[in-house]
Amino acid sequence: MEPAAFFRPQPLASPEPRSRAPGKDSEAGAGAGARESERGSPGADPLPDPARLIRDPLSGRTYYRGRLLGKGGFARCYEATDTSSGHTYAVKVIPQSRVAKPHQREKILQEIALHRSLHHRHIVRFSHHFEDEGSIYIFLEYCSRKSLAHIWKARHILLEPEVRYYLRQVIAGLRYLHQRGVLHRDLKLGNFFITDNMELKLGDFGLAARLEPQDQRKKTICGTPNYLAPEVLLRQGHGPESDVWSLGCVMYTLLCGSPPFETTDLKETYRCIKQVRYTLPTYLSVCARHLLAAILRPVPQDRPSLEEILQHDFFTKGYTPAQLPPSSCTTVPDLTPPSPAQSFFTKVTKSLFGRKKKSKLAVQEQDNLSRLVSDLVLMSICPQNSSKEPRQAQKEADVPPSLAETAPEEGSPRSLAAMGSSCEGSEECLTAAAVMESTLCALRNCLAFMPPAEQNPAPLASSEHLLWVSKWVDYSNKYGFGYQLSSRQVAVLFNDGTHMALSSNRKNVHYNPTSTKHFCFPMEAVPQQLQRQLGVLRYFASYMDQNLMKGGDLPSMDETESPAPLLLQWFKTDQALLLLFSDGTVQVNFYVDHTKLILSGWEPLLITFVARDRRALTYQAPHLQRLGCSPELRVRLRFVLGLLRQHSGT
């Protein structure tokens, strides 16, 4: 990792034009461009791309293949939607060419048979499978918040209550497997999937196997290097104790920020595992240290069972939240445990009066929003003509919402066809991890061969279409992260992962319920269910306009219906702010002197340096690599390289 010493600004006085709302300070995929459609005339709606339709040759059911969720050695996993019911799955697609040999096909069929037999709350649900001439398709439960690996990449270190929350669910699923004589053999963060309501599901049974007697166990070394048990490396076979070892490595990674035996050299990692050589940070609680030491023992029989782990003081004497907020995927949650008196009062109240029900209004509001999003998504996949005429919506009030009041504004309902145009993202959408990886690679190559120089080469002609964040507000302790682009478009990445933007002419609202689904509404036709988010968005816009100085906005221009790139993820350090966008752009704002670096393009990588006077100069990375650059620019590039390495985990 590049040391932070490459960039040593003076002690921090105040961040970028104090980009915070008044009050306390506190994740993937990209949206596609808007697609207009005229409702009311037959055949006006665009049909889905036939190349992205999957058809079951036996039942005739069709599925719309959406964004790429992940890929492995044999298969790729996509989001898939049943075009008749609108139900969303995760579909594992295995090309027939990858299972041409009999033993390869047998392995896939064994995985299907094993996974189909599993039914547990904390196991990814198997739905069905079929195949055609080109591929085998395995349809699984869709987990919208991806995996624990994505949360770890955004957070690196989790709180002990969070770790207990996740581990309890992992152990529940793992205990079910072991009771059925199944070994997972590949426990790691990427195989713990997270649903929309923050429930953990254990998945990926490609390496799973039936438990055999000690003398008949397979001696194959399989799994992820950082999580392999010593007996597996010593070819003594894999047993339930080996899964327990991997569980200990997972616990260590979540609490400490990296796996216990990770080194830069694989042979050295294996040596550390065999010798059980690792260190326990001093900031860990005594209970956490004791449990890790008990699990990570060289002799399998000396390790505690899953039941004994749950009875350890780490679990019995520590607070475990009943539910985690979705915002904990990217930011540290407030997990203050309830007081004993409050807990006692709650129990007594429930015993006397039963569970407190949600108000009908709150339940109806949530149901309406769910129905709205589902209907809009279905409309973009299975267009249907609507003969209903939209009712006239009331004009929005001109009074900007205050900090204390962001209640929904009044408005009459409109038919779905009139509320906005929608579009689906493409499977090539970039994730935050992909943005970091690609930029990291290009920047590393640029700096590795750059000769010393005293000044920068001639810049390119400035691009009027280059967008950057000119103002920002971190209010993630309550709402989310707000920002204004140089095009004057204002947007908010909410804590629940949704995204809403206000066009520069303030006539349209762009809404992304997920990173790959986009809806555009005229300002006067924003659905009632989205009025609260709109109120927060308008508050951010008003606050930045009134309290933050201009940050180099572009001249006013006519805005098309295509939305600006989405903010995928953001990170704050003591020295800078890192922003990752869905079009691959990476922006770093340096607090101390208000300079910025914007990396975009990739082929070639374009490097834009926004100086203190807001003057922006753009260079091609290959030119800097060949001719060198000024020390002022070089030190910032090295700092950004180190920042990307730190947050990508490489």
Side-chain angles (χ1 to χ4, degrees):
M1 182 184 296
E2 293 284 337
F6 278 126
F7 181 77
R8 296 185 184 276
Q10 297 301 315
L12 183 62
S14 61
E16 177 88 12
R18 204 55 183 173
S19 304
R20 298 178 190 163
K24 188 170 134 189
D25 268 306
S26 32
E27 289 214 166
R35 181 177 61 213
E36 289 188 338
S37 60
E38 296 178 4
R39 310 296 293 177
S41 57
D45 291 317
L47 294 174
D49 182 1
R52 296 173 67 182
L53 287 176
I54 301 171
R55 183 178 181 276
D56 184 343
L58 296 179
S59 69
R61 296 181 75 91
T62 56
Y63 304 86
Y64 186 77
R65 176 168 57 82
R67 63 188 177 117
L68 178 68
L69 299 176
K71 56 185 178 181
F74 277 82
R76 291 193 170 202
C77 191
Y78 297 91
E79 183 180 311
T81 305
D82 188 325
T83 58
S84 60
S85 68
H87 187 78
T88 302
Y89 299 91
V91 59
K92 193 173 181 179
V93 181
I94 307 165
Q96 295 282 12
S97 60
R98 304 306 301 269
V99 292
K101 297 179 180 179
H103 74 278
Q104 293 173 330
R105 186 173 185 84
E106 181 182 1
K107 181 177 179 296
I108 297 300
L109 293 178
Q110 288 176 350
E111 177 187 348
I112 291 174
L114 189 150
H115 199 166
R116 177 192 281 161
S117 69
L118 303 176
H119 305 280
H120 190 269
R121 177 178 178 177
H122 295 296
I123 301 287
V124 171
R125 186 172 61 255
F126 181 96
S127 177
H128 61 286
H129 82 287
F130 59 81
E131 59 182 293
D132 56 24
E133 293 181 356
S135 302
I136 299 174
Y137 305 93
I138 303 174
F139 287 77
L140 306 169
E141 178 181 7
Y142 176 65
C143 298
S144 61
R145 300 196 187 279
K146 300 188 178 179
S147 72
L148 206 49
H150 293 86
I151 296 175
W152 172 76
K153 285 182 179 180
R155 297 273 309 281
H156 287 284
I157 293 178
L158 272 60
L159 305 176
E160 288 194 8
E162 293 178 279
V163 175
R164 280 189 285 270
Y165 172 85
Y166 289 121
L167 288 188
R168 283 185 183 275
Q169 298 177 70
V170 173
I171 292 173
L174 191 58
R175 186 164 53 179
Y176 170 81
L177 291 179
H178 288 180
Q179 288 171 348
R180 295 178 62 85
V182 176
L183 304 175
H184 189 278
R185 302 205 303 175
D186 194 19
L187 295 178
K188 59 181 180 179
L189 300 182
N191 287 339
F192 302 140
F193 300 94
I194 310 298
T195 66
D196 189 58
N197 63 352
M198 299 300 293
E199 192 170 53
L200 183 144
K201 307 273 185 173
L202 182 54
D204 194 345
F205 294 91
L207 296 179
R210 296 288 178 181
L211 176 62
E212 303 290 348
Q214 182 70 43
D215 58 342
Q216 298 179 22
R217 293 179 183 176
K218 296 178 181 179
K219 307 300 190 292
T220 307
I221 298 177
C222 65
T224 303
N226 279 324
Y227 299 88
L228 292 178
E231 63 270 20
V232 176
L233 289 176
L234 295 172
R235 296 186 181 276
Q236 296 171 357
H238 200 300
E241 305 84 3
S242 309
D243 278 350
V244 169
W245 171 280
S246 299
L247 182 70
C249 294
V250 166
M251 175 181 171
Y252 185 103
T253 304
L254 294 176
L255 289 173
C256 305
S258 61
F261 306 101
E262 185 178 50
T263 67
T264 56
D265 178 67
L266 186 59
K267 290 183 179 179
E268 180 62 22
T269 296
Y270 286 166
R271 189 177 298 113
C272 291
I273 293 174
K274 292 175 183 177
Q275 298 173 1
V276 193
R277 192 170 73 245
Y278 67 99
T279 58
L280 287 169
T282 56
Y283 59 77
L284 291 180
S285 69
V286 173
C287 291
R289 294 165 64 87
H290 286 175
L291 180 55
L292 286 169
I295 294 176
L296 300 178
R297 288 176 176 169
V299 180
Q301 292 72 24
D302 292 343
R303 297 169 202 154
S305 66
L306 295 175
E307 289 75 13
E308 290 171 336
I309 290 174
L310 287 177
Q311 294 303 315
H312 192 274
D313 287 351
F314 177 76
F315 285 98
T316 60
K317 295 185 177 180
Y319 168 61
T320 304
Q323 183 77 25
L324 286 180
S327 60
S328 65
C329 293
T330 54
T331 58
V332 180
D334 180 8
L335 297 179
T336 305
S339 65
Q342 180 64 33
S343 300
F344 176 75
F345 176 78
T346 302
K347 289 180 180 179
V348 171
T349 303
K350 285 184 178 179
S351 65
L352 292 176
F353 305 106
R355 292 183 178 272
K356 183 179 179 181
K357 296 181 179 180
K358 291 184 179 179
S359 68
K360 291 183 179 180
L361 184 62
V363 172
Q364 183 180 2
E365 183 177 315
Q366 186 167 354
D367 290 345
N368 287 343
L369 181 57
S370 300
R371 194 178 302 112
L372 166 73
V373 173
S374 299
D375 289 346
L376 287 173
V377 172
L378 279 174
M379 282 164 50
S380 67
I381 298 174
C382 315
Q384 297 178 352
N385 295 320
S386 173
S387 59
K388 296 181 180 180
E389 289 295 326
R391 295 180 236 166
Q392 184 64 36
Q394 282 186 336
K395 294 282 185 179
E396 290 185 38
D398 295 329
V399 181
S402 66
L403 174 62
E405 182 176 87
T406 54
E409 297 169 305
E410 294 298 325
S412 302
R414 297 169 61 91
S415 68
L416 292 179
M419 286 195 294
S421 59
S422 66
C423 69
E424 280 287 314
S426 114
E427 66 189 66
E428 289 79 18
C429 290
L430 297 175
T431 63
V435 172
M436 277 195 285
E437 182 180 351
S438 301
T439 308
L440 184 62
C441 180
L443 189 56
R444 187 192 295 118
N445 292 338
C446 175
L447 287 168
F449 305 101
M450 184 187 293
E454 293 302 318
Q455 59 184 14
N456 297 321
L460 301 176
S462 59
S463 173
E464 294 182 358
H465 301 291
L466 177 67
L467 295 180
W468 67 85
V469 173
S470 58
K471 300 177 182 180
W472 57 272
V473 177
D474 176 15
Y475 208 173
S476 54
N477 65 316
K478 190 168 184 181
Y479 298 120
F481 186 91
Y483 60 97
Q484 178 173 309
L485 294 171
S486 51
S487 62
R488 292 184 174 83
Q489 186 181 84
V490 177
V492 177
L493 176 59
F494 290 98
N495 289 338
D496 64 358
T498 60
H499 190 280
M500 182 178 281
L502 189 59
S503 64
S504 59
N505 58 17
R506 303 304 188 256
K507 294 181 179 179
N508 297 310
V509 173
H510 300 280
Y511 176 63
N512 289 75
T514 70
S515 55
T516 57
K517 293 182 176 66
H518 165 258
F519 305 108
C520 180
F521 306 97
M523 175 64 83
E524 67 276 6
V526 175
Q528 182 70 26
Q529 296 92 334
L530 300 179
Q531 287 292 338
R532 289 192 177 182
Q533 289 97 319
L534 179 60
V536 175
L537 173 63
R538 293 177 62 191
Y539 167 68
F540 274 86
S542 174
Y543 177 83
M544 287 188 282
D545 184 55
Q546 296 175 20
N547 295 277
L548 303 183
M549 64 183 185
K550 292 183 179 179
D553 292 340
L554 297 172
S556 180
M557 62 180 90
D558 292 333
E559 183 180 321
T560 65
E561 280 302 310
S562 297
L566 291 179
L567 176 64
L568 298 178
Q569 216 163 10
W570 57 277
F571 304 94
K572 282 170 65 179
T573 72
D574 292 338
Q575 299 169 327
L577 170 72
L578 172 64
L579 304 167
L580 307 175
F581 288 89
S582 60
D583 65 346
T585 298
V586 174
Q587 177 171 333
V588 177
N589 292 13
F590 298 100
Y591 300 149
V592 71
D593 57 6
H594 305 319
T595 58
K596 303 176 183 68
L597 269 182
I598 300 145
L599 311 180
S600 59
W602 295 355
E603 295 182 358
L605 176 69
L606 299 179
I607 299 174
T608 301
F609 179 45
V610 182
R612 301 172 189 177
D613 60 0
R614 301 294 185 268
R615 190 167 56 100
L617 297 176
T618 301
Y619 308 91
Q620 286 191 4
H623 292 173
L624 298 182
Q625 179 180 329
R626 187 174 68 255
L627 303 174
C629 65
S630 67
E632 182 185 28
L633 180 55
R634 183 191 293 262
V635 74
R636 285 169 172 78
L637 291 174
R638 287 193 177 277
F639 177 82
V640 173
L641 179 64
L643 201 59
L644 291 172
R645 281 177 171 169
Q646 175 187 349
H647 289 290
S648 66
T650 61

